[in-house]
Amino acid sequence: MSEFTSLDFQMMSRAIELAKGGIYTTPPNPNVGCVITRDGEIVGEGFHFRAGEPHAEVHALRMAGNQAEGATAYVTLEPCSHYGRTPPCAEGLINAKVAKVICAMQDPNPQVAGRGIQMLREAGIEVQVGLLEQDANALNPAFIKRMKTGMPYVQLKMAASLDGQTALANGQSQWITSPQARQDVQKYRAQSGAILSTSKTVIDDNASLNVRWADLPKSVQASYLEQGLRQPVRVILDRQNQLTPELKLFHTGGDKIIVSEQGNLTPKINHQQQIDLRETLADLANSHNINHVWVEAGATLASSLIQAELVDELILYLAPKIMGSDGRGLLGALGLDSMADVIELDIKDVRQIGKDIRIVASLLKKEM
Amino acid sequence: MSEFTSLDFQMMSRAIELAKGGIYTTPPNPNVGCVITRDGEIVGEGFHFRAGEPHAEVHALRMAGNQAEGATAYVTLEPCSHYGRTPPCAEGLINAKVAKVICAMQDPNPQVAGRGIQMLREAGIEVQVGLLEQDANALNPAFIKRMKTGMPYVQLKMAASLDGQTALANGQSQWITSPQARQDVQKYRAQSGAILSTSKTVIDDNASLNVRWADLPKSVQASYLEQGLRQPVRVILDRQNQLTPELKLFHTGGDKIIVSEQGNLTPKINHQQQIDLRETLADLANSHNINHVWVEAGATLASSLIQAELVDELILYLAPKIMGSDGRGLLGALGLDSMADVIELDIKDVRQIGKDIRIVASLLKKEM
């Protein structure tokens, strides 16, 4: 095990903070930050801002100029070793003659992990790996999951009253949650690679399911300019070909993927004659480079995704209301016969958002 | 308006902290703390520990001894003016020749409010009122409610999965919540004056509904000795005379009030041929001096109490589980037709208790 100094921890923390500057714009690329120091002083720093634009290391090296020679570079992710839309960052660090590179983590793609590090070491640069690795992981859960498994990271958004109802028996449900909760949803949408829903939700609510800059929280607007707004792909399951062109969805900018026989993604159909959700998600990851899917839909899709164990994280908004058990439940029937079969979650965060409560919980995989 | 010094704030804060020392033992009396200072130094302090034992002022005056002469007394509640189980504290302060008394709040009972203050002023003592009044109110919400309205403060405890289910369709519900949540329930029980439930809950679970010292959180045990355990009165609604003597409830110590024709509290029956809950609660407040009722029961009693607007506060434990909408709901049908009729709450506290979430919310009264 390498030993890290307290200066190392400070600099990597700074690199991790920098990386967060790209959370709305880097998809499908990861968030990466970089700090370059010489004699304990920062001489360059940067982060990856947008896919197709320079990587974090490039910004930091440009800022450092010839002070990079003999310097130490802190990078939150192993520098890339391949020629993509930009030249490999490992090469940039070598050309700048840095003396040492500290990476928080290896590349999560097992096919390429370690190549950037190897390239640096072969050029005589000292490399250490693993500083604040957990924090670096937390920057890119979705990117890492897709790289490791070929499946996207799925967040399921739901909203209900304290007693778990989403609507009255007659279907009324307007404004269950507060404006602040709806702003918070906009923030999640803005961070996602795709927003997944169903034709039923799109038609019932004439929902556009897009990111509306004016509805983002002020704190987000301050660092995410309207001109640079990235619109996640909207993916609508439309088994029955019910979507029609006058719907608001089709009159807002941004890519749409309509999963239907007549749409632009032909679904695999399972033996229940329904769209195979696992295959659809795998398609989004592999053919459309989507790391991160944000689901907003009704009880039916939510239950199907949960039962198929395709949900990584539940984001549940609970409004301070009681509606009574004759309303509409959060989920469909799951047909469980034993408490041992109940779906278990792990609470990651609970907080008040306006008048509402937001619960973030990860779904635990059943042991087989 | 009187002006208070920063020393005054410090001393009253100290008195409020002291008052909390009695939260498990003072019912049906209020929690009160007292600090006596001379030349800015504390010379005496105390709190009311148990009904029937000396009041806060008595402890503080004993500690101060003859240093009380010319001193300032900070009391979280107006000193009493009547001869009860102890002589009036106002008289004690007069006899000790304190120069000044600062009270956080008046006596909440409109029939006696101001008499203690008047007694002090008539004896030539300077009196100021209203320092940290909100904090002093928060020490005794139940006592204050009973004094002002003749009704007890009602806390309704419920536990469910994240999707608002309390049991599977077949009734299975064992260990929805974690041991830590059950310890937390013990703490609430221990603070209450009465625990209200139904014969159905008592019979189905063979529930004793008592405070078990061994099950209290360690933090409570540290300051609340087993020998001094106060057992809240258990109040069981038994409209159908179904309770039988072998039930565990009857083999645990502490008073029980059985609300039935054959029990020790004969209920008023309403025109739905059910026990009139409002009358029963008023009886508990007026004939049994119960300030604070902690309700643990099923969906039926919970819904009835909520619909009758008798609940002040909901304490909802949500376990990190999903059970599906075919389970048993948190509440019965409320028959609401419009979102405008939905019962509104105000979230007062949200936190994790072990693996679970605890939500404390006050029920807002409908505007008529």
Side-chain angles (χ1 to χ4, degrees):
Chain A
M1 273 303 287
S2 319
E3 284 204 357
F4 299 108
T5 67
S6 108
L7 181 75
D8 291 339
F9 278 94
Q10 282 175 46
M11 293 303 161
M12 189 62 87
S13 296
R14 172 79 187 140
I16 285 168
E17 283 311 305
L18 286 168
K20 294 176 185 169
I23 49 174
Y24 299 103
T25 39
T26 57
N29 283 0
N31 293 294
V32 184
C34 178
V35 169
I36 297 175
T37 63
R38 217 172 125 144
D39 305 324
E41 299 290 328
I42 294 177
V43 294
E45 55 179 35
F47 63 93
H48 183 43
F49 180 64
R50 189 185 296 274
E53 296 182 8
H55 288 186
E57 298 92 322
V58 174
H59 289 297
L61 285 169
R62 280 184 191 160
M63 181 172 159
N66 52 22
Q67 294 188 86
E69 191 172 338
T72 299
Y74 298 84
V75 201
T76 60
L77 185 65
E78 176 182 353
C80 63
S81 57
H82 61 280
Y83 285 85
R85 284 185 277 190
T86 55
C89 291
E91 197 177 278
L93 291 160
I94 293 164
N95 292 343
K97 305 202 174 89
V98 303
K100 184 172 174 180
V101 173
I102 302 183
C103 312
M105 61 181 288
Q106 280 204 335
D107 190 303
N109 184 339
Q111 308 292 318
V112 299
R115 286 197 197 169
I117 292 165
Q118 194 188 350
M119 206 186 242
L120 294 168
R121 284 191 175 137
E122 282 169 0
I125 295 174
E126 183 189 348
V127 182
Q128 288 182 305
V129 183
L131 175 59
L132 294 178
E133 184 165 1
Q134 269 198 305
D135 303 80
N137 261 283
L139 285 172
N140 296 299
F143 174 78
I144 293 170
K145 184 181 176 193
R146 178 166 73 94
M147 288 299 132
K148 288 191 168 169
T149 68
M151 289 290 284
Y153 188 81
V154 176
Q155 287 182 314
L156 172 64
K157 175 250 170 180
M158 304 207 83
S161 61
L162 284 182
D163 57 337
Q165 306 292 304
T166 60
L168 297 177
N170 62 17
Q172 270 195 48
S173 69
Q174 279 281 284
W175 313 125
I176 281 200
T177 52
S178 63
Q180 290 90 333
R182 295 195 297 275
Q183 283 190 347
D184 196 59
V185 167
Q186 283 285 324
K187 191 188 72 183
Y188 275 107
R189 284 185 185 174
Q191 292 179 5
S192 72
I195 297 168
L196 175 64
S197 191
T198 62
S199 49
K200 179 166 166 43
T201 294
V202 168
I203 294 166
D204 285 358
D205 306 345
N206 198 5
S208 44
L209 293 170
N210 59 346
V211 178
R212 293 181 290 275
W213 190 85
D215 295 344
L216 285 167
K218 292 269 172 291
S219 57
V220 174
Q221 290 178 340
S223 61
Y224 185 25
L225 300 184
E226 188 167 12
Q227 303 89 291
L229 197 71
R230 180 188 58 84
Q231 205 59 255
V233 182
R234 277 154 290 167
V235 180
I236 315 298
L237 306 181
D238 186 25
R239 175 80 179 101
Q240 312 292 335
N241 300 301
Q242 291 174 312
L243 293 176
T244 48
E246 79 282 3
L247 285 164
K248 230 198 259 179
L249 174 83
F250 295 108
H251 299 274
T252 54
D255 292 342
K256 291 109 199 165
I257 296 179
I258 308 303
V259 184
S260 77
E261 295 298 331
Q262 297 172 10
N264 48 357
L265 193 153
T266 306
K268 295 204 177 54
I269 301 298
N270 65 21
H271 46 269
Q272 283 100 36
Q273 293 303 307
Q274 287 166 338
I275 293 173
D276 188 309
L277 296 170
R278 184 176 294 276
E279 294 286 349
T280 303
L281 289 170
D283 258 7
L284 294 176
N286 300 320
S287 310
H288 297 270
N289 293 327
I290 285 167
N291 303 323
H292 183 165
V293 175
W294 171 254
V295 185
E296 287 189 51
T300 310
L301 179 60
S303 304
S304 300
L305 286 168
I306 287 173
Q307 285 183 301
E309 297 193 19
L310 293 169
V311 178
D312 293 284
E313 205 170 81
L314 175 70
I315 286 85
L316 175 61
Y317 297 89
L318 291 179
K321 299 179 197 301
I322 287 176
M323 294 169 73
S325 299
D326 44 345
R328 297 191 183 175
L330 199 53
L331 291 167
L334 297 180
L336 303 179
D337 290 324
S338 158
M339 285 298 286
D341 299 330
V342 156
I343 291 152
E344 308 267 356
L345 300 94
D346 185 32
I347 307 291
K348 292 166 78 173
D349 186 73
V350 187
R351 67 181 66 189
Q352 283 187 251
I353 302 281
K355 288 183 168 184
D356 304 311
I357 295 167
R358 187 190 70 195
I359 299 171
V360 178
S362 50
L363 279 86
L364 305 180
K365 304 293 171 200
K366 296 262 178 214
E367 289 171 28
M368 295 298 169
Chain B
M1 275 300 289
S2 317
E3 285 204 356
F4 298 108
T5 67
S6 107
L7 181 76
D8 292 339
F9 278 94
Q10 283 175 45
M11 293 303 161
M12 189 61 87
S13 295
R14 171 79 188 139
I16 285 169
E17 283 311 305
L18 285 168
K20 294 175 185 169
I23 49 174
Y24 298 103
T25 39
T26 57
N29 284 0
N31 292 295
V32 185
C34 177
V35 169
I36 296 175
T37 63
R38 217 171 125 145
D39 305 324
E41 300 290 328
I42 294 178
V43 294
E45 55 180 34
F47 63 93
H48 183 43
F49 180 65
R50 189 185 296 276
E53 295 182 7
H55 289 186
E57 299 92 322
V58 175
H59 289 296
L61 286 169
R62 280 183 192 160
M63 182 173 158
N66 54 22
Q67 293 187 86
E69 192 173 337
T72 300
Y74 298 85
V75 201
T76 60
L77 184 67
E78 177 182 353
C80 64
S81 57
H82 62 279
Y83 285 83
R85 285 185 276 192
T86 56
C89 291
E91 197 176 280
L93 291 162
I94 293 164
N95 293 341
K97 304 201 175 90
V98 303
K100 184 171 174 180
V101 174
I102 301 183
C103 312
M105 60 181 287
Q106 281 205 336
D107 190 303
N109 184 339
Q111 307 293 318
V112 300
R115 286 197 196 168
I117 292 164
Q118 192 187 353
M119 206 187 242
L120 294 169
R121 285 193 173 137
E122 283 169 359
I125 295 174
E126 183 189 349
V127 182
Q128 288 182 304
V129 183
L131 176 58
L132 294 177
E133 184 163 3
Q134 269 198 306
D135 304 80
N137 261 284
L139 283 172
N140 296 299
F143 175 79
I144 293 169
K145 184 182 177 192
R146 179 166 74 92
M147 287 300 133
K148 287 190 169 169
T149 68
M151 290 291 283
Y153 188 82
V154 177
Q155 286 181 314
L156 172 63
K157 175 249 170 183
M158 304 207 86
S161 61
L162 283 181
D163 57 336
Q165 305 293 304
T166 61
L168 297 177
N170 62 17
Q172 269 196 50
S173 68
Q174 279 280 287
W175 312 127
I176 281 201
T177 52
S178 63
Q180 289 90 332
R182 295 194 297 276
Q183 283 189 349
D184 196 61
V185 167
Q186 283 286 323
K187 192 188 73 183
Y188 274 108
R189 283 185 186 175
Q191 292 179 5
S192 72
I195 297 168
L196 175 65
S197 191
T198 62
S199 50
K200 179 167 166 46
T201 294
V202 168
I203 294 166
D204 286 358
D205 306 344
N206 198 4
S208 43
L209 293 170
N210 60 346
V211 178
R212 293 180 290 275
W213 190 84
D215 294 343
L216 286 167
K218 291 270 172 292
S219 56
V220 174
Q221 289 178 341
S223 61
Y224 184 26
L225 299 183
E226 188 167 12
Q227 305 88 288
L229 197 71
R230 179 188 60 83
Q231 205 59 255
V233 182
R234 277 154 290 167
V235 180
I236 314 298
L237 306 181
D238 187 24
R239 175 81 178 100
Q240 313 291 335
N241 300 299
Q242 290 174 313
L243 293 177
T244 48
E246 80 282 1
L247 286 164
K248 228 197 259 177
L249 175 84
F250 295 109
H251 300 273
T252 55
D255 292 342
K256 291 109 200 163
I257 295 178
I258 309 303
V259 184
S260 76
E261 296 297 331
Q262 297 170 12
N264 48 358
L265 193 153
T266 307
K268 295 203 177 54
I269 301 299
N270 64 21
H271 47 270
Q272 283 99 37
Q273 292 305 306
Q274 287 165 339
I275 293 173
D276 188 309
L277 296 170
R278 184 176 295 275
E279 294 286 348
T280 303
L281 289 170
D283 258 6
L284 294 177
N286 300 321
S287 310
H288 298 268
N289 293 328
I290 286 167
N291 304 323
H292 182 164
V293 175
W294 170 254
V295 185
E296 286 189 52
T300 310
L301 180 59
S303 304
S304 301
L305 286 168
I306 287 173
Q307 284 183 302
E309 297 192 20
L310 294 169
V311 178
D312 293 284
E313 204 170 81
L314 175 69
I315 287 84
L316 175 60
Y317 296 89
L318 291 179
K321 299 180 198 300
I322 287 176
M323 295 169 72
S325 299
D326 44 344
R328 297 191 183 176
L330 199 54
L331 291 167
L334 296 180
L336 303 179
D337 290 324
S338 157
M339 285 298 287
D341 299 330
V342 156
I343 291 152
E344 307 266 357
L345 300 94
D346 184 32
I347 307 292
K348 292 166 80 172
D349 186 72
V350 187
R351 66 181 67 189
Q352 283 187 252
I353 302 281
K355 289 182 167 185
D356 304 311
I357 295 167
R358 187 189 70 197
I359 299 171
V360 178
S362 50
L363 279 87
L364 305 180
K365 304 293 172 203
K366 295 263 177 212
E367 289 171 27
M368 297 298 170

